[in-house]
Amino acid sequence: MEMEELKEIERENFEEARSQPEDVKRIPPWTKHITIRGIVASLVIGVIYSVIVMKLNLTTGLVPNLNVSAALLAFVFIRTWTKLIQKAGFVTAPFTRQENTIIQTCAVACYSIAVGGGFGSYLLGLNKKTYEKAGVDTEGNSPGSYKEPGLGWMTGFLFVVSFVGLLALVPLRKIMVIDYKLTYPSGTATAVLINGFHTAKGDEMAKKQVHGFMKFFSFSFLWAFFQWFYSGGAKCGFIQFPTFGLKAWQQTFFFDFSATYVGAGMICSHLVNLSLLLGAVLSWGLMWPLIEDRKGDWFPRTLPESSMKSLNGYKVFISIALILGDGLYNFLKILFLTMRSIHATMNKKNPKTSSDDKNQPLDDLRRNEVFIRESIPLWVAFVGYIVFSVISIIIIPLMFPQLKWYYVLVAYILAPSLSFCNAYGAGLTDMNMAYNYGKVALFVLAALTGKDNGVVAGLIGCGLIKSIVSISSDLMHDFKTGHLTLTSPRSMLLSQAIGTAIGCVVAPLTFSLFYKAFDIGNPDGEYKAPYALIYRNMAILGVEGFSALPQHCLQLCYGFFAFAILVNLVRDISPEKVGKWVPLPMAMAVPFLVGAYFAIDMCVGSLIVFLWHKLNGQKAGLMIPAVASGLICGDGLWILPSSVLALAKVNPPICMNFLAAKNT
């Protein structure tokens, strides 16, 4: 949705809300926003989405924004709950937009730990399998620089690092949301959806969305169940269907019937999906076959393909070059836009006066009043930040002796400034650059700490900075949603804290389930976890420099790094009708390691959206989020019973495989 459309829908919703005075005038006190049923709903939604995003993290590492989907699921859950209670003859409290907002915030905070907790990147990069894949004899990959995943230490680490980010920017919430009027597009889109649900017209719309969601949720779950019967062995099942022939299948070009990625493709923009496909064609269709032909010249024939000095090295380091080029450009761009916007705001004379207040729409004044009235005391933010920082400075070096306490101290001194830059940039562009701040920390700490401890220190330092910066930005998105739905900042912060605490337990449990049930990190399996190897090799690069690269790889990396910067520059300086078709280097990099199959799935989702808009644009705009959410949730939920079956050693009864016909 474009911002103009969002504003128009928002105006319509509030026009209708004015005719319902009980919604506007009788806002419940903030203590009533958080309810027992709301926490239960948040827990259920958080668990479902944690499983879904963990699968996405461990297969491709590409996770779409599911905030709007979570708001829809919250509405479905509570409406179903209240109907069942009423049919049983009990009286229930009305379901308000504030409660809807709190459930969405808590659920998103829960599954955000699974998204950004490093389970598919920096934490998994510490395990022994990734250490061995990076090359035991690789310079900089020092012996013993690994730590196997454990439920205890991972849960403790997440609790230590996650809560600091909640308090880093709380004192600046009024400045960011009201004074600077930052848009936070994802937060605004979520608020528009929630406000739309809680009107008479929105209620009819919601019924259609709920029906569509349940229909495609059931279909997706049953389809995943059906597929399981045919996957009894390696390279078996519909996920290995050679759609375009066996030759294309060998280069990973096939449709694998994944409802999750078709649904993700319906949520992601056409540009993201086409960029993924372009990256797949460029890598698996062109570059990897050409580099494979150089075996014996560029690298020894005797090396296995998984060695970092053979073809796999080119895949990993060229991906890193694209990611770093794109990240550096966008980091500097957002930093420039942030500084320019702050400078312009500071230069305004008397930017906020009483006459400005009088000229504001009544709805804006009402929202500002609610947002300011129930403030969060400054001492809570300051004392909380200091206490959590001290705990972290003590505990993290005990867990990881490679990362000295003074590095952690410096990280927490710098974190509020970095968080402000990231949250301000996200408010302008909707881009959360937390991973790029984390990568900077990774390279700096890996280089400073030295050869023996650099890899572990870099990976943990990356997670430390990334967690603080990301969570504080997410909280600002939530504050924007709360501002537009007349939800108290106190209840928003408390629900975020509850969701974060739940996520710190649920995410490691979910990861442990995957880690025990499936072969995580197998480059030939479904759960490739590509970013674990990428992050470990970034740390090795930080320690050793370019000596870690295979032959001619440095020149290719230079080319792709420059390509990423040039492509971004062309997009920004071109007219909009040209720039909207320029590919995204970050999206192009994902298939380089993973393969082309999921890009094809997501392009199928994009094609469905395109055709649906052509046939019935109004219905498409209403139903696409619900249908996509149903496809993702149904397929994702099947992971729970399938992993239990795998742990119980219950194997599928049939292996459906495809072989070339013998010439007669």
Side-chain angles (χ1 to χ4, degrees):
M1 253 190 225
E2 298 296 329
M3 283 307 300
E4 290 78 9
E5 293 178 47
L6 291 177
K7 288 174 183 173
E8 182 61 35
I9 295 170
E10 187 184 351
R11 276 196 297 272
E12 290 176 6
N13 289 339
F14 273 97
E15 283 295 323
E16 186 170 351
R18 281 199 192 99
S19 65
Q20 299 174 38
E22 68 276 5
D23 279 348
V24 176
K25 294 179 180 177
R26 298 179 186 175
I27 300 171
W30 76 272
T31 51
K32 300 290 185 182
H33 294 177
I34 300 174
T35 61
I36 298 296
R37 70 182 181 186
I39 293 173
V40 172
S42 302
L43 177 62
V44 172
I45 296 166
V47 169
I48 292 171
Y49 275 67
S50 292
V51 173
I52 292 165
V53 299
M54 193 66 73
K55 178 188 176 182
L56 295 170
N57 253 334
L58 297 175
T59 49
T60 64
L62 185 72
V63 182
N65 190 320
L66 299 170
N67 290 19
V68 171
S69 176
L72 173 64
L73 205 57
F75 185 83
V76 171
F77 188 95
I78 296 297
R79 275 301 168 94
T80 306
W81 175 305
T82 52
K83 282 184 179 178
L84 290 174
I85 295 294
Q86 285 169 358
K87 284 183 179 179
F90 296 99
V91 178
T92 60
F95 181 38
T96 63
R97 67 186 70 194
Q98 288 79 25
E99 187 179 2
N100 202 159
T101 304
I102 291 300
I103 295 169
Q104 186 268 343
T105 299
C106 189
V108 170
C110 175
Y111 78 73
S112 291
I113 302 296
V115 176
F119 298 101
S121 54
Y122 51 86
L123 287 188
L124 187 59
L126 289 169
N127 79 335
K128 189 174 183 180
K129 182 182 281 188
T130 309
Y131 161 75
E132 291 170 348
K133 281 166 66 180
V136 177
D137 56 348
T138 300
E139 289 291 324
N141 194 30
S142 56
S145 60
Y146 59 84
K147 188 179 180 74
E148 280 299 301
L151 191 59
W153 75 259
M154 291 174 97
T155 304
F157 176 78
L158 290 172
F159 267 107
V160 166
V161 303
S162 296
F163 282 90
V164 182
L166 286 178
L167 301 166
L169 294 183
V170 165
L172 302 177
R173 63 185 179 81
K174 176 182 174 292
I175 294 171
M176 307 282 268
V177 174
I178 295 176
D179 296 344
Y180 288 168
K181 294 183 173 62
L182 295 174
T183 55
Y184 289 102
S186 291
T188 301
T190 306
V192 168
L193 183 73
I194 291 171
N195 283 330
F197 283 152
H198 296 274
T199 60
K201 182 180 174 184
D203 196 48
E204 287 301 314
M205 176 185 77
K207 285 178 182 176
K208 293 177 183 176
Q209 289 180 312
V210 169
H211 179 70
F213 172 85
M214 294 305 297
K215 184 163 66 174
F216 281 90
F217 173 87
S218 304
F219 164 76
S220 179
F221 183 85
L222 293 172
W223 173 242
F225 176 50
F226 175 75
Q227 286 187 83
W228 177 81
F229 285 97
Y230 296 90
S231 57
K235 308 287 185 186
C236 295
F238 285 90
I239 61 169
Q240 298 290 338
F241 192 91
T243 323
F244 310 110
L246 287 169
K247 189 71 176 174
W249 174 81
Q250 289 170 358
Q251 295 299 325
T252 72
F253 285 91
F254 57 91
F255 177 62
D256 74 346
F257 296 91
S258 169
T260 295
Y261 284 109
V262 172
M266 293 175 73
I267 291 173
C268 290
S269 69
H270 295 313
L271 182 59
V272 169
N273 297 330
L274 292 174
S275 298
L276 289 168
L277 188 60
L278 177 61
V281 171
L282 183 62
S283 56
W284 291 89
L286 185 64
M287 286 175 54
W288 303 160
L290 289 175
I291 294 174
E292 180 73 19
D293 289 342
R294 299 294 182 274
K295 187 186 287 187
D297 181 13
W298 286 15
F299 53 92
R301 290 184 176 277
T302 53
L303 284 177
E305 190 179 314
S306 58
S307 169
M308 294 306 296
K309 295 292 184 181
S310 70
L311 179 60
N312 201 44
Y314 295 91
K315 293 178 182 178
V316 170
F317 288 114
I318 292 172
S319 301
I320 290 173
L322 268 177
I323 291 167
L324 291 181
D326 186 85
L328 178 65
Y329 178 89
N330 282 294
F331 177 72
L332 295 175
K333 172 187 163 185
I334 299 299
L335 205 59
F336 169 73
L337 292 174
T338 299
M339 293 300 109
R340 188 177 69 176
S341 178
I342 292 172
H343 182 261
T345 305
M346 300 277 288
N347 282 344
K348 285 182 182 177
K349 292 184 178 179
N350 298 322
K352 189 165 179 62
T353 63
S354 58
S355 61
D356 291 332
D357 280 345
K358 289 174 184 174
N359 292 330
Q360 283 186 312
L362 183 62
D363 287 328
D364 286 346
L365 291 173
R366 180 63 169 158
R367 293 177 211 160
N368 293 349
E369 179 198 336
V370 172
F371 196 72
I372 295 168
R373 183 180 63 205
E374 295 181 339
S375 61
I376 299 160
L378 283 179
W379 68 266
V380 172
F382 286 123
V383 172
Y385 188 85
I386 291 168
V387 169
F388 284 122
S389 297
V390 169
I391 292 170
S392 189
I393 290 165
I394 294 169
I395 291 179
I396 287 178
L398 293 176
M399 296 175 74
F400 302 96
Q402 297 91 337
L403 186 63
K404 303 302 180 186
W405 68 268
Y406 41 85
Y407 289 129
V408 183
L409 173 63
V410 171
Y412 282 124
I413 291 171
L414 295 176
S417 300
L418 300 177
S419 298
F420 174 77
C421 292
N422 184 54
Y424 195 101
L428 293 172
T429 65
D430 209 31
M431 292 178 67
N432 189 339
M433 305 299 291
Y435 268 111
N436 289 310
Y437 288 93
K439 286 166 197 164
V440 172
L442 186 151
F443 282 115
V444 170
L445 285 169
L448 288 175
T449 310
K451 185 175 180 179
D452 293 333
N453 299 325
V455 171
V456 175
L459 290 170
I460 296 303
C462 168
L464 196 69
I465 291 292
K466 186 261 157 199
S467 293
I468 300 169
V469 172
S470 178
I471 289 171
S472 57
S473 175
D474 290 343
L475 184 62
M476 282 299 152
H477 275 280
D478 290 332
F479 277 147
K480 182 67 176 181
T481 304
H483 176 247
L484 294 174
T485 57
L486 301 171
T487 307
S488 165
R490 292 182 185 179
S491 58
M492 294 292 287
L493 181 63
L494 184 56
S495 68
Q496 182 93 5
I498 293 169
T500 301
I502 294 170
C504 288
V505 176
V506 169
L509 284 170
T510 307
F511 175 78
S512 297
L513 184 66
F514 276 86
Y515 201 72
K516 290 176 182 176
F518 306 111
D519 188 10
I520 305 297
N522 178 3
D524 299 319
E526 183 182 359
Y527 295 93
K528 295 178 175 66
Y531 280 97
L533 189 58
I534 285 174
Y535 271 74
R536 188 171 188 95
N537 278 287
M538 283 184 188
I540 292 169
L541 271 180
V543 173
E544 285 298 316
F546 296 130
S547 62
L549 302 179
Q551 191 178 1
H552 299 300
C553 189
L554 181 59
Q555 292 86 340
L556 289 168
C557 288
Y558 281 147
F560 277 92
F561 184 86
F563 168 80
I565 293 175
L566 182 63
V567 163
N568 277 300
L569 191 62
V570 168
R571 184 188 311 105
D572 286 340
I573 63 175
S574 298
E576 187 180 353
K577 62 182 180 181
V578 176
K580 69 179 183 180
W581 295 108
V582 177
L584 302 168
M586 189 73 79
M588 288 178 64
V590 179
F592 275 48
L593 259 185
V594 178
Y597 60 92
F598 84 98
I600 292 169
D601 294 348
M602 292 185 72
C603 282
V604 169
S606 213
L607 180 62
I608 291 169
V609 170
F610 176 77
L611 293 175
W612 201 344
H613 272 292
K614 287 290 183 186
L615 295 171
N616 190 338
Q618 187 176 0
K619 187 176 180 182
L622 175 68
M623 295 303 298
I624 282 170
V627 171
S629 301
L631 289 173
I632 292 170
C633 291
D635 194 42
L637 195 62
W638 168 249
I639 295 168
L640 289 174
S642 70
S643 57
V644 170
L645 290 170
L647 289 171
K649 308 297 182 187
V650 178
N651 297 315
I654 305 167
C655 172
M656 184 173 72
N657 206 340
F658 298 88
L659 304 168
K662 293 181 180 178
N663 294 324
T664 54

